């Protein structure tokens, strides 16, 4: 009788993913808790300033101190700048190498200082990088290299987003769709197990309620679906504007010759005092503002004012290089746009008043889908955040339209565009150990339907396998490459990014 053979690789990585996810869940929950409590204190302080003006001077000194401390952290390790998602993506593709412990603790401290002070920054991007660094740390402690280290890094990133939003399915899909661009079973099973563990830990900290209390929504009537197309068009156009402002804001700061780059943040740290004094409800990433928008009867002028304020100050905050993300600020801008379009339609009596919350929910997903060009993540993320499955079809309609508009305008995925600015010039170098590079073959790729022998492969690599579905086959000269295949190359670890760049030139 043939002996039963067990394939334990994926199972072992699921266990590792659960361990990494548990660690990440604890760390990110503490990170999230400190930021939330800090924002409550800061908003209360701004309220007191109206009766005790001397607090303005004290708070200015505190803001300048935060600027100085963040500048020191950024100067010592520039990899903590921004959301951290482009850096994680660069690590996974092989174009960036970072010191995990340095990034981890400096991102943690810098993120609390920047986000907790009330700047229009999100905690989700930093949570993803914190999780990824913990995954890398566990991999290095357990002597994992190459694929094993990248899988745990991806699992940690997934866990970070899951703990920040309590959305494990969307977190897993975001890492697969937007960060790693790899849907192999080893990656997704590890990422999912990490996300589930982190979400369970986070739920013990913050409870099981959805992160956004938008339960007053209704099933969207079919006769109003044409207005969803209008909403998607608006979101796509203004999503492209957001991309332009965010990607070009560093150029604005470079014109401020009197400031050194690590201390660009003095601009948002000082300006936030003015914002907080007059509009304290707008401070922070924006989740409280989303709920407030859904339960307020603001005029068009007020909503438009909040949108312009959030658009300009969130891009100004992020462009300074502070450790903070754009995830939640994008969702907040989307919610304001949804309320804006809805109120316009309602003013013309084209939309009943009870559908306001619906428009806010759909606009959040559509705005993120257009800017991030990750529609599936946007749909699932908003679904998990609001805790309802009854919006899937309208969410898909708005997300697809917004995505199509940004795509027609030649907008890039925001995190990929940020990585392009970070990515150093890729050169071939001497490697320290052997590694693998997996390259998916898409429909209409140059490689599709060609035999292996017909491709001028770089001489420094070896095509060792072609994965087709669950099966791997050894390639021969007459093997035909099909769309949907994953090409597996053997290459020196340091040359993974170089090889990827060379293969992309073939397409």
């Amino acid at each position: 009788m043939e002996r039963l053979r067990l394939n334990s690789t994926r199972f072992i990585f699921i266990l590792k993913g659960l361990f990494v996810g548990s660690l990440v869940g604890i760390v990110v929950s503490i990170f999230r808790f400190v930021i939330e409590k800090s924002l409550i204190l800061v908003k209360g302080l701004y309220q007191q300033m109206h009766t005790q003006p001397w607090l303005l001077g004290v708070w200015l000194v505190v803001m300048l101190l935060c600027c100085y401390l963040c500048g020191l952290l950024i100067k010592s390790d520039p990899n903590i700048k921004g959301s951290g998602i482009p850096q994680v993506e660069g690590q996974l593709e092989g174009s960036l190498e970072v010191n995990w412990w340095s990034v981890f603790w400096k991102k943690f401290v810098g993120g609390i200082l920047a986000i907790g002070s009330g700047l229009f920054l999100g905690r989700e991007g930093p949570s993803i990088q914190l999780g990824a660094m913990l995954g890398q740390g566990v991999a290095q402690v357990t002597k994992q290299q190459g694929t094993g280290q990248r899988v745990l890094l991806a699992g940690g990133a997934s866990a970070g987003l899951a703990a920040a939003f309590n959305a494990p399915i969307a977190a897993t899909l975001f890492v697969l769709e937007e960060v790693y661009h790899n849907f192999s079973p080893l990656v997704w099973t590890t990422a999912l197990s990490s996300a589930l563990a982190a979400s369970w830990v986070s739920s013990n900290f913050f409870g099981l309620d959805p992160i956004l209390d938008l339960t007053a929504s209704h099933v969207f009537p079919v006769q109003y679906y044409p207005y969803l197309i209008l909403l998607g068009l608006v979101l796509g156009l203004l999503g492209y504007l957001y991309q332009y402002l965010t990607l070009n804001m560093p150029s604005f700061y470079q014109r401020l010759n009197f400031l050194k780059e690590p201390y660009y943040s003095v601009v948002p740290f000082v300006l936030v005092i003015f914002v907080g004094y007059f509009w304290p409800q707008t401070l922070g990433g924006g989740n409280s503002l989303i709920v407030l928008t859904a339960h307020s009867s603001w005029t068009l002028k007020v909503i438009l004012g909040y949108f312009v304020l959030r658009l300009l100050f969130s891009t100004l905050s992020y462009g300074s290089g502070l450790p903070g993300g754009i995830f939640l600020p994008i969702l907040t801008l989307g919610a304001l746009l949804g309320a804006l379009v809805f109120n316009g339609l309602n003013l013309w009596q084209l939309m009943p008043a009870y559908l306001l919350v619906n428009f806010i929910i759909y606009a959040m997903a559509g705005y993120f889908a257009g800017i991030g060009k990750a529609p599936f993540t946007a749909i699932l993320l908003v679904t998990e955040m609001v805790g309802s499955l009854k919006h899937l079809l309208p969410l898909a309609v708005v997300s697809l339209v917004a995505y199509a508009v940004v795509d027609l305008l030649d907008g890039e995925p925001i995190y990929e565009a940020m990585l392009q600015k970070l990515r150093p010039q890729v050169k071939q170098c001497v490697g320290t150990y052997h590694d693998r590079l997996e390259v998916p073959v898409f429909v209409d790729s140059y490689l599709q339907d060609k035999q292996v022998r017909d491709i001028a492969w770089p001489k420094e690599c070896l095509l060792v396998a072609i994965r087709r579905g669950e099966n791997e086959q050894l390639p021969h000269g007459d093997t035909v490459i099909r769309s949907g295949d994953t090409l597996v190359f053997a290459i020196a670890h340091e040359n993974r990014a170089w090889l990827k760049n060379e293969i992309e030139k073939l397409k």
Side-chain angles (χ1 to χ4, degrees), residues 55-204:
L55 289 173
L56 280 168
V58 175
W59 192 239
L60 175 60
V61 174
V62 172
M63 291 292 93
L64 292 176
L65 179 60
C66 288
C67 170
Y68 177 71
L69 293 175
C70 286
L72 290 179
L73 294 173
I74 293 170
K75 193 174 181 179
S76 64
D77 196 333
N79 288 309
I80 70 169
K81 292 172 64 176
S83 71
I85 295 174
Q87 290 89 330
V88 173
E89 189 173 347
Q91 285 184 264
L92 291 171
E93 75 168 16
S95 60
L96 290 177
E97 296 285 343
V98 307
N99 181 320
W100 76 270
W101 174 246
S102 172
V103 172
F104 173 75
W105 78 262
K106 292 172 184 175
K107 189 78 169 195
F108 189 92
V109 175
I112 290 174
L113 291 174
I115 307 167
S117 64
L119 296 181
F120 291 7
L121 296 168
R123 63 175 181 260
E124 300 71 30
S127 297
I128 290 173
Q129 191 175 27
L130 289 173
M133 293 305 95
L134 279 177
Q136 180 182 343
V138 170
Q140 291 184 1
V141 169
T142 57
K143 309 299 182 184
Q144 293 280 337
Q145 287 186 326
T147 300
Q149 180 168 311
R150 288 191 296 277
V151 170
L152 291 184
L153 194 149
S158 175
L161 182 56
F165 271 146
N166 199 19
I169 309 303
T172 303
L173 187 57
F174 178 74
V175 169
L176 301 177
E177 182 181 25
E178 180 68 17
V179 180
Y180 202 178
H181 310 291
N182 190 323
F183 283 79
S184 76
L186 184 63
V187 176
W188 76 254
T189 51
T190 307
L192 180 59
S193 63
S194 295
L196 291 172
S199 187
W200 181 82
V201 173
S202 176
S203 297
N204 280 275

Side-chain angles (χ1 to χ4, degrees), residues 8-288:
S8 61
T9 302
R10 292 179 196 168
F11 180 73
I12 290 173
F13 269 92
I14 287 174
L15 296 179
K16 291 179 179 179
L18 291 172
F19 176 69
V20 169
S22 299
L23 287 179
V24 174
I26 294 171
V27 170
V28 172
S29 294
I30 295 172
F31 183 69
R32 175 179 165 185
F33 177 81
V34 174
I35 288 173
E36 289 182 356
K37 294 302 181 183
S38 298
L39 285 173
I40 293 173
L41 291 173
V42 167
K43 290 178 181 179
L45 181 64
Y46 278 113
Q47 296 288 357
Q48 293 180 38
M49 288 179 187
H50 291 276
T51 56
Q52 304 177 61
W54 61 270
L55 289 173
L56 280 168
V58 175
W59 192 239
L60 175 60
V61 174
V62 172
M63 291 292 93
L64 292 176
L65 179 60
C66 288
C67 170
Y68 177 71
L69 293 175
C70 286
L72 290 179
L73 294 173
I74 293 170
K75 193 174 181 179
S76 64
D77 196 333
N79 288 309
I80 70 169
K81 292 172 64 176
S83 71
I85 295 174
Q87 290 89 330
V88 173
E89 189 173 347
Q91 285 184 264
L92 291 171
E93 75 168 16
S95 60
L96 290 177
E97 296 285 343
V98 307
N99 181 320
W100 76 270
W101 174 246
S102 172
V103 172
F104 173 75
W105 78 262
K106 292 172 184 175
K107 189 78 169 195
F108 189 92
V109 175
I112 290 174
L113 291 174
I115 307 167
S117 64
L119 296 181
F120 291 7
L121 296 168
R123 63 175 181 260
E124 300 71 30
S127 297
I128 290 173
Q129 191 175 27
L130 289 173
M133 293 305 95
L134 279 177
Q136 180 182 343
V138 170
Q140 291 184 1
V141 169
T142 57
K143 309 299 182 184
Q144 293 280 337
Q145 287 186 326
T147 300
Q149 180 168 311
R150 288 191 296 277
V151 170
L152 291 184
L153 194 149
S158 175
L161 182 56
F165 271 146
N166 199 19
I169 309 303
T172 303
L173 187 57
F174 178 74
V175 169
L176 301 177
E177 182 181 25
E178 180 68 17
V179 180
Y180 202 178
H181 310 291
N182 190 323
F183 283 79
S184 76
L186 184 63
V187 176
W188 76 254
T189 51
T190 307
L192 180 59
S193 63
S194 295
L196 291 172
S199 187
W200 181 82
V201 173
S202 176
S203 297
N204 280 275
F205 273 82
F206 303 102
L208 295 172
D209 293 334
I211 193 170
L212 292 177
D213 182 19
L214 300 176
T215 53
S217 58
H218 300 75
V219 175
F220 196 75
V222 176
Q223 66 266 30
Y224 296 125
Y225 267 63
Y227 298 118
L228 295 181
I229 298 175
L230 172 63
L231 177 62
L233 290 171
V234 173
L235 294 170
L237 291 171
L238 292 175
Y240 185 79
L241 173 63
Y242 180 90
Q243 285 190 342
Y244 177 82
L245 291 175
T246 301
L247 296 175
N248 289 279
M249 192 57 70
S251 300
F252 163 76
Y253 278 104
Q254 289 169 7
R255 296 191 185 98
L256 305 179
N257 298 323
F258 58 91
L259 286 177
K260 294 184 179 180
E261 185 175 351
Y263 302 102
Y264 285 163
S265 61
V266 69
V267 176
F269 269 123
V270 171
L271 289 180
V272 76
I273 299 174
F274 176 81
V275 175
Y277 186 82
F278 290 100
W279 306 287
Q281 68 273 21
T282 66
L283 294 177
N287 55 310
S288 60

